[in-house]
Amino acid sequence: MDRKEAIKLSAMVALLGLTDISGLFAAINNEKETRSFHRFRMGKLELTVVTDGHILMKPVQPNFAPGIAPSKVEQILEDNFASKQEVDLGINILVIRSADRVILVDSGCGSNFGRNSGWLLANLANADIKVAEVTDVVISHAHPDHIGGLTDNSGQIVFPNASVYLSRIEHDFWMSPSPDFSKSKLRDNTLKNLVVEIARKNITALKPRLQLLDDGAEMLGCIKMQMAPGHTPGHCVVQLYSGSESLYHIADLIHSQVLSLEHPEWGFEGDTDFELAITSRRKVLEKLALSKAMVFSYHLPWPGIGHVRRKNAGFEWVRLPSVLPD
């Protein structure tokens, strides 16, 4: 930077009320930064969000609001400027650095759902997180888009040095001879069989390093597992904490920032126990709204960080704005 440019920049800095002029000059001389991740801090924890891609659910019904009049569903989507044809689900993976631990919450789809997902490994590398340094993987529940990234196409373990944590109830459900879907509204038997197959494949492969947890279990000095059953029998909300600060990873409690929040009672076809999932959804959303806690959502638009607040008889998502693009 020549003297003329430096004087001009100093004037702009003064105008904007900035004080760290030397730091700004140094930054300008750096090469252009390219990021495909979102990194922030909570207490002593360094948190990074990377994307595993997305899943397009089309049509909206009966994936969402099965049995509800289409006119009602279309009206609420129109009122919120949302598509009436599809719901696009992000796949947001949260990575936690805590002292000497590198912890993933869920593992994405792996190679199970085609080219629009399975981006986790490439984006971990972009965020300078090496597969070999991952020490722990916490699985919220064993659906394919959460557990599928633990093994590759050949059945080999993807994170060779990681312990894996899963709800005991979740483990027992998927590994039972005949998982019970009688309380679900999902009627696609081919899809049911695929979901069971992927869960069993990954649980079996990880068995030597799998640790089964009960409701309320705390581990790794920063995580507490809280049961929120219904979507699956052992589905968990994962609470992260550091000192007095908390963040709640709500996994598959909600899939749409419009339909699942404004009308939690409309439900989701993929819930294993449809009515229990509605009860859990309302209970957790009420708690989050009252506490004004920070929330991380696996499937809401990137980067999935925000708050829940009351709206009429339901709730609404308040996305935490990000100053810089990712």
Side-chain angles (χ1 to χ4, degrees):
M1 181 186 299
D2 62 26
R3 184 172 180 275
K4 184 176 180 181
E5 288 176 327
I7 291 171
K8 183 167 68 174
L9 184 57
S10 294
M12 289 195 308
V13 167
L15 179 65
L16 293 171
L18 302 176
T19 56
D20 187 9
I21 299 175
S22 61
L24 186 59
F25 286 170
I28 287 174
N29 288 325
N30 288 341
E31 292 182 6
K32 183 180 178 182
E33 181 185 9
T34 301
R35 289 189 294 145
S36 58
F37 57 90
H38 178 67
R39 184 164 285 153
F40 61 107
R41 296 199 67 87
M42 187 186 79
K44 294 182 178 180
L45 304 179
E46 179 189 85
L47 305 178
T48 304
V49 186
V50 299
T51 179
D52 188 57
H54 67 121
I55 299 172
L56 193 63
M57 304 201 80
K58 186 175 182 176
V60 174
Q61 289 182 287
N63 287 305
F64 293 85
I68 303 300
S71 59
K72 290 184 177 180
V73 176
E74 290 178 4
Q75 186 61 58
I76 194 171
L77 291 169
E78 183 177 318
D79 290 346
N80 286 274
F81 308 99
S83 170
K84 295 186 226 176
Q85 285 73 49
E86 61 196 27
V87 177
D88 204 358
L89 276 60
I91 310 171
N92 306 315
I93 309 287
L94 189 62
V95 186
I96 306 143
R97 283 192 184 271
S98 176
D100 59 347
R101 320 280 319 170
V102 177
I103 309 160
L104 268 63
V105 182
D106 291 335
S107 66
C109 298
S111 58
N112 294 294
F113 291 131
R115 64 181 184 179
N116 288 332
S117 60
W119 304 352
L120 174 62
L121 298 185
N123 284 320
L124 285 175
N126 289 338
D128 197 27
I129 300 168
K130 298 176 177 61
V131 165
E133 69 177 326
V134 175
T135 57
D136 308 274
V137 183
V138 177
I139 301 296
S140 65
H141 66 294
H143 272 170
D145 53 324
H146 296 257
I147 201 171
L150 290 178
T151 58
D152 62 19
N153 271 333
S154 63
Q156 296 300 304
I157 293 170
V158 171
F159 302 101
N161 301 315
S163 297
V164 178
Y165 304 84
L166 179 69
S167 156
R168 189 182 308 277
I169 293 172
E170 189 76 357
H171 169 275
D172 293 350
F173 175 80
W174 295 107
M175 299 305 287
S176 68
S178 183
D180 181 9
F181 289 93
S182 63
K183 296 180 180 179
S184 175
K185 292 189 180 290
L186 184 64
R187 299 292 175 256
D188 186 336
N189 288 324
T190 300
L191 180 55
K192 288 180 193 175
N193 291 336
L194 177 65
V195 169
V196 173
E197 177 188 330
I198 294 171
R200 286 177 175 168
K201 169 194 169 186
N202 284 278
I203 290 171
T204 301
L206 273 299
K207 214 146 203 160
R209 60 188 68 201
L210 190 63
Q211 298 191 37
L212 301 181
L213 306 171
D214 297 314
D215 185 24
E218 296 193 46
M219 68 279 195
L220 307 174
C222 62
I223 289 177
K224 182 177 182 179
M225 303 291 278
Q226 300 180 4
M227 289 281 291
H231 182 62
T232 63
H235 176 270
C236 288
V237 168
V238 181
Q239 179 190 358
L240 310 184
Y241 58 84
S242 179
S244 62
E245 298 183 66
S246 285
L247 179 147
Y248 291 84
H249 184 308
I250 58 173
D252 277 13
L253 191 79
I254 57 175
H255 292 79
S256 162
Q257 71 270 30
V258 177
L259 300 175
S260 303
L261 280 154
E262 291 203 25
H263 284 280
E265 77 282 2
W266 283 0
F268 181 67
E269 187 185 44
D271 292 335
T272 305
D273 186 328
F274 188 80
E275 294 299 331
L276 180 57
I278 290 172
T279 300
S280 289
R281 190 176 300 117
R282 277 199 170 280
K283 181 179 178 181
V284 175
L285 291 176
E286 186 70 46
K287 177 181 176 182
L288 295 173
L290 285 171
S291 66
K292 300 182 180 179
M294 187 179 294
V295 177
F296 179 83
S297 174
Y298 196 76
H299 285 307
L300 296 195
W302 175 265
I305 306 166
H307 297 270
V308 172
R309 70 182 172 198
R310 269 283 185 188
K311 181 181 180 182
N312 302 322
F315 305 89
E316 67 177 336
W317 178 245
V318 183
R319 182 179 179 271
L320 196 67
S322 182
V323 174
L324 295 174
D326 291 276

